[in-house]
Amino acid sequence: PSPSPSPTGPAVCGTWSEVCPGCPGGSSACFQCTTDPAKWQCPGGGPGPSPSPSPSPSPSPSPSPSPSPSPSPSTSPSPSPASSPGSSACSGLSIHAAIQEQGLDPDTDLLLGSTRATWEDLCEVVVAWNGRFSAIPFLAEADAGNNLLTLAAFLGNAAQESADFVACEEYINPCQGVCSGGNAEDYRDALWGTCYQVPVPTADSFDKTGSLPADACGTSGQVTCVDWDGRPHSGDSCWYGKGALQLTWNCNYAKANTLLREIGLEIDICADPDSICTDGQTFWAGSLAYWMMSVSPYYLQDHRIDTAMNCIKSGCSAPYPGTWTGSGAAVRRANYQGYLSKLTGGTAPAPAPSPTPSPSPSPSP
């Protein structure tokens, strides 16, 4: 992480969601605890996980000693944009050092100048996820090379599905040009059936032990939505793709909705499917939830782009053994290689072993 203010009182450490939203300077002032880097603290050691209503005078900004040494390269503050790799939530992620090392501007070099969402938006969603689901974090493996492989696989697929981070809604028919070829009614509840493996949150993870009926969200009778071209839809014609990784089907909306509430997002994508496209954070959040439910358990076993592509597009119950050639494979693979080249300077890391128990299969979006 970047240099952090030296605590002026006893450090009150906790998960990101417990501590950071209550920091006096906002969540962007939060930084990793010096005594336990898996937890977070506010400048000055407070306010801590328990909200303390008693007002306290603003601490006078006494000069702090030099920051304690940090394993990541440090940078001096500069008047760069808020989404620069050295600011707020991004500086606490493992991939921060590689982005700095390669001199990347993530908004331009990784998100291709997107006006839909920023790098900071993604960082904040990841930090919120890792704070709530600390047993199954994203981009937090012990091996730094594995985290770069994962980021390249995630962004490579997302770039293909969102037309280089421009589109939030699937380009359903009628459509000319770069279209998905799909129709709103292709995702009707009756075509899916019972929704299995619904996540049931636990203290620091979730079990996929729940099940729901075909109308998993329970809203198909009254839900409405508006597609990419401003056309209104209703009922179970609203479950077409939305977000960076184009979440589809009522079942997957219901699953993701459970997890989005857990990381503190104030949206209900069952009652309002279009809310996935509310802002930059929601654009990423449904996709990250899907990745962690249905891709990550298998991808972490081999760190291969073929496994990621197969799990996203076809569903999976194990790592993919060969070369995946499904929808958009060539573009996804080229995107992946391009991201790896940017993140590593051209030398892709070999995956390090990550033993992960193989959970039961989960349908794809």
Side-chain angles (χ1 to χ4, degrees), residues 304-315:
R304 294 181 65 244
I305 185 60
D306 298 277
T307 292
M309 293 190 292
N310 182 55
C311 290
I312 289 169
K313 291 302 296 178
S314 305

Side-chain angles (χ1 to χ4, degrees), residues 137-159:
F138 183 59
L139 299 177
E141 292 186 70
D143 184 85
N146 281 357
N147 295 322
L148 297 181
L149 293 171
T150 299
L151 180 62
F154 181 82
L155 292 179
N157 279 286

Side-chain angles (χ1 to χ4, degrees), residues 29-363:
C30 205
F31 59 99
Q32 286 173 295
C33 286
T34 53
T35 54
D36 183 355
K39 295 184 178 179
W40 297 79
Q41 69 184 78
C42 297
S50 305
S52 175
S54 53
S56 56
S58 301
S60 49
S62 55
S64 54
S66 301
S68 26
S70 164
S72 304
S74 59
T75 54
S76 304
S78 62
S80 49
S83 58
S84 68
S87 66
S88 78
C90 300
S91 62
L93 299 181
S94 62
I95 39 111
H96 172 65
I99 289 173
Q100 283 191 312
E101 229 174 83
Q102 300 302 326
L104 299 176
D105 173 352
D107 281 312
T108 301
D109 298 320
L110 303 183
L111 303 189
L112 313 176
S114 172
T115 57
R116 169 67 64 181
T118 67
W119 178 248
E120 182 67 21
D121 290 330
L122 177 57
C123 293
E124 289 182 1
V125 170
V126 172
V127 168
W129 176 278
N130 292 353
R132 172 60 184 85
F133 297 112
S134 56
I136 46 169
F138 183 59
L139 299 177
E141 292 186 70
D143 184 85
N146 281 357
N147 295 322
L148 297 181
L149 293 171
T150 299
L151 180 62
F154 181 82
L155 292 179
N157 279 286
Q160 196 278 337
E161 300 217 345
S162 64
D164 290 339
F165 312 109
V166 170
C168 185
E169 297 94 350
E170 179 182 352
Y171 290 152
I172 54 174
N173 292 323
C175 172
Q176 294 181 344
V178 182
C179 308
S180 72
N183 302 291
E185 59 270 21
D186 290 347
Y187 304 104
R188 298 190 308 277
D189 297 346
L191 300 180
W192 182 281
T194 301
C195 182
Y196 294 108
Q197 299 183 345
V198 176
V200 178
T202 61
D204 56 5
S205 183
F206 57 83
D207 299 322
K208 296 196 290 186
T209 54
S211 65
L212 292 167
D215 179 9
C217 273
T219 56
S220 282
Q222 67 268 21
V223 73
T224 60
C225 56
V226 178
D227 71 17
W228 68 275
D229 200 29
R231 297 173 297 231
H233 300 271
S234 61
D236 61 1
S237 293
C238 285
W239 310 119
Y240 50 84
K242 299 182 189 73
L245 281 179
Q246 296 289 285
L247 193 69
T248 54
W249 298 99
N250 188 322
C251 178
N252 287 322
Y253 276 73
K255 291 179 179 180
N257 202 42
T258 298
L259 301 178
L260 298 189
R261 287 196 297 266
E262 291 292 317
I263 63 173
L265 285 183
E266 300 295 327
I267 60 171
D268 183 344
I269 63 174
C270 279
D272 180 10
D274 289 344
S275 61
I276 289 180
C277 302
T278 296
D279 57 34
Q281 288 192 24
T282 59
F283 173 78
W284 293 115
S287 303
L288 179 60
Y290 180 79
W291 177 280
M292 298 306 291
M293 284 188 294
S294 302
V295 182
S296 185
Y298 315 103
Y299 171 79
L300 290 182
Q301 296 178 50
D302 66 1
H303 295 88
R304 294 181 65 244
I305 185 60
D306 298 277
T307 292
M309 293 190 292
N310 182 55
C311 290
I312 289 169
K313 291 302 296 178
S314 305
C316 60
S317 57
Y320 193 75
T323 301
W324 190 80
T325 57
S327 173
V331 175
R332 295 169 195 270
R333 196 180 304 278
N335 289 345
Y336 170 73
Q337 295 295 347
Y339 280 120
L340 271 187
S341 180
K342 289 177 181 179
L343 291 166
T344 65
T347 308
S354 287
T356 304
S358 178
S360 46
S362 177

